[in-house]
Amino acid sequence: MAEKSYEEEHPTKAFGWAARDQSGVLSPFKFSRRSTGEKDVRFKVLFCGICHTDLHMAKNDWGMSTYPLVPGHEIVGEVTEVGSKVEKIKVGDKVGVGCMVGSCRSCDSCNNHLENYCPKMILSYASKYHDGTTTYGGYSDIMVVDEHFLVHIPDNLPLDAAAPLLCAGITVYSPLRFFNLDKPGMHVGVVGLGGLGHVAVKFAKAMGVKVTVISTSPKKKQEALEHLGADSFLVSRDQDEMQAAMGTMDGVIDTVSAVHPILPLISLLKTQGKLVLVGAPEKPLELPVVPLIMGRKIVGGSSIGGMKETQEMIDFASKNNITADIEVIPMDYVSTAMERLVKTDVRYRFVIDIGNTMKI
């Protein structure tokens, strides 16, 4: 029998909220974190954003959940302990963890700072860690994470409003950069004005891009133009508006996770324009090929970002004062928040005040 490591022999008691079954109902849960290894950082969780993924995973909508399940992958807090070989982080630092806490560190993706595309990427919750234990997310009082998978949160970013950037923020920042839709004077459409869409508008505007919000809801026009600073607004169900905007955009970032037609979005693109999907509909979308061929247009996808790019995104947000628009809630409000999230009744992200309201 293999000898147990120090971390296995000396686990750290932790407290969080977990779903026990597919009902998705969350309730208090005691468990253990590994002790701080030589390359690990332990931190007190202060805030954690609520992502749509948390809702899907709690209810096993994607058939990959394991219970008990502690959600949360938009996590920020303050460092309380560092391992002996930790180099870049010290006690007292403000840090964040997004959707992943591990990868193989040796494949082509990892070697190119794309840990998010590693075949062995370890998710922040409901995944198996290197030692075979289950990962638990940020709806908890403490986290222990390998230094490589942490980002520094600059002092000028408020922790509560920075938390959603670790998932929603990097999800839209990465495709703007990778698909070269970040050049001043370009015209980019953002489909959907929710948790992802509203930060997409902020990042694109900070890059100097002209932004058009595309939404099914005319009610969001004033919010998009006056509060978020978008340059224009299209109602996707208004055929006249959509017709007038045909062929005007260099790219479109589509954040919608419901099934929806993409032909109207492809029509908005200029020749050689790019439609990038970052929402994940549960059923396949219909892909019209002829409009792609006739305009040499591209349909692509993107998922979060590697650790190097995630730190770049946070630093860019710090420099440009970009944060998510949030509603801070206590831990025991989480079930109500999930119900409201189903109805999209939030502007634009719930963030749990873990530090002040997680009661053991």
Side-chain angles (χ1 to χ4, degrees):
M1 189 172 177
E3 187 175 324
K4 288 188 175 182
S5 67
Y6 177 86
E7 291 83 0
E8 292 172 313
E9 291 280 11
H10 300 82
T12 303
K13 291 181 181 178
F15 185 75
W17 279 52
R20 299 322 208 277
D21 54 43
Q22 295 187 10
S23 69
V25 175
L26 299 174
S27 58
F29 174 58
K30 291 182 180 179
F31 60 103
S32 294
R33 298 279 189 197
R34 69 178 185 273
S35 287
T36 310
E38 60 185 16
K39 293 184 178 180
D40 285 336
V41 172
R42 174 178 167 171
F43 68 94
K44 173 182 169 61
V45 178
L46 297 177
F47 296 97
C48 185
I50 298 181
C51 177
H52 263 282
T53 298
D54 299 343
L55 182 63
H56 289 301
M57 290 293 288
K59 295 187 173 183
N60 197 28
D61 288 341
W62 298 331
M64 57 188 284
S65 302
T66 55
Y67 298 99
L69 182 145
V70 178
H73 61 205
E74 298 178 342
I75 315 158
V76 294
E78 182 174 339
V79 176
T80 57
E81 185 181 11
V82 297
S84 59
K85 293 187 178 179
V86 169
E87 299 176 353
K88 300 176 182 176
I89 292 171
K90 64 184 185 301
V91 172
D93 283 354
K94 302 300 191 296
V95 294
V97 177
C99 302
M100 58 183 170
V101 293
S103 69
C104 80
R105 308 287 296 279
S106 61
C107 67
D108 285 349
S109 291
C110 288
N111 288 334
N112 286 292
H113 306 292
L114 295 170
E115 301 92 340
N116 50 314
Y117 297 118
C118 173
K120 296 181 180 179
M121 178 183 68
I122 301 170
L123 298 173
S124 299
Y125 65 88
S127 196
K128 288 293 181 187
Y129 200 64
H130 299 297
D131 59 7
T133 58
T134 299
T135 57
Y136 294 118
Y139 295 15
S140 58
D141 57 352
I142 60 168
M143 294 283 292
V144 179
V145 178
D146 185 298
E147 172 187 32
H148 183 78
F149 293 91
L150 289 170
V151 294
H152 271 283
I153 308 294
D155 289 338
N156 70 312
L157 281 181
L159 290 179
D160 52 0
L165 299 180
L166 295 163
C167 173
I170 188 60
T171 295
V172 296
Y173 178 92
S174 183
L176 285 168
R177 291 297 196 202
F178 178 78
F179 290 98
N180 297 310
L181 298 174
D182 56 352
K183 307 296 183 285
M186 279 188 160
H187 185 189
V188 172
V190 174
V191 189
L193 199 61
L196 295 176
H198 90 284
V199 286
V201 173
K202 294 184 181 188
F203 276 119
K205 286 299 297 178
M207 293 169 183
V209 172
K210 177 185 176 183
V211 179
T212 295
V213 170
I214 304 154
S215 174
T216 58
S217 173
K219 297 176 183 176
K220 293 187 176 181
K221 182 173 183 177
Q222 184 177 359
E223 172 79 5
L225 299 179
E226 296 180 12
H227 175 62
L228 295 173
D231 298 282
S232 53
F233 186 91
L234 290 176
V235 179
S236 56
R237 291 184 175 134
D238 187 319
Q239 292 188 350
D240 291 338
E241 284 190 15
M242 294 292 283
Q243 183 82 21
M246 283 178 64
T248 63
M249 299 181 191
D250 298 285
V252 171
I253 304 292
D254 186 352
T255 72
V256 176
S257 56
V259 174
H260 60 290
I262 60 173
L263 177 59
L265 304 178
I266 292 171
S267 299
L268 295 173
L269 297 172
K270 297 176 182 176
T271 300
Q272 301 188 130
K274 302 158 187 173
L275 169 61
V276 187
L277 308 174
V278 295
E282 292 180 19
K283 295 180 180 178
L285 301 181
E286 188 174 321
L287 180 64
V289 175
V290 172
L292 300 181
I293 295 172
M294 299 309 292
R296 198 197 241 172
K297 298 175 182 180
I298 292 172
V299 176
S302 186
S303 174
I304 56 170
M307 294 314 303
K308 181 181 178 183
E309 187 174 49
T310 302
Q311 185 66 62
E312 287 173 5
M313 177 274 303
I314 286 290
D315 293 342
F316 183 86
S318 170
K319 181 180 177 182
N320 292 279
N321 295 310
I322 295 171
T323 54
D325 290 10
I326 60 171
E327 179 178 336
V328 178
I329 62 168
M331 187 69 245
D332 60 9
Y333 186 79
V334 67
S335 293
T336 304
M338 293 279 198
E339 291 170 8
R340 287 178 55 192
L341 192 58
V342 173
K343 304 170 188 171
T344 63
D345 176 23
V346 58
R347 279 186 45 208
Y348 285 96
R349 207 66 151 186
F350 287 116
V351 174
I352 308 167
D353 183 353
I354 302 282
N356 289 316
T357 67
M358 177 75 76
K359 298 187 175 99
I360 300 176

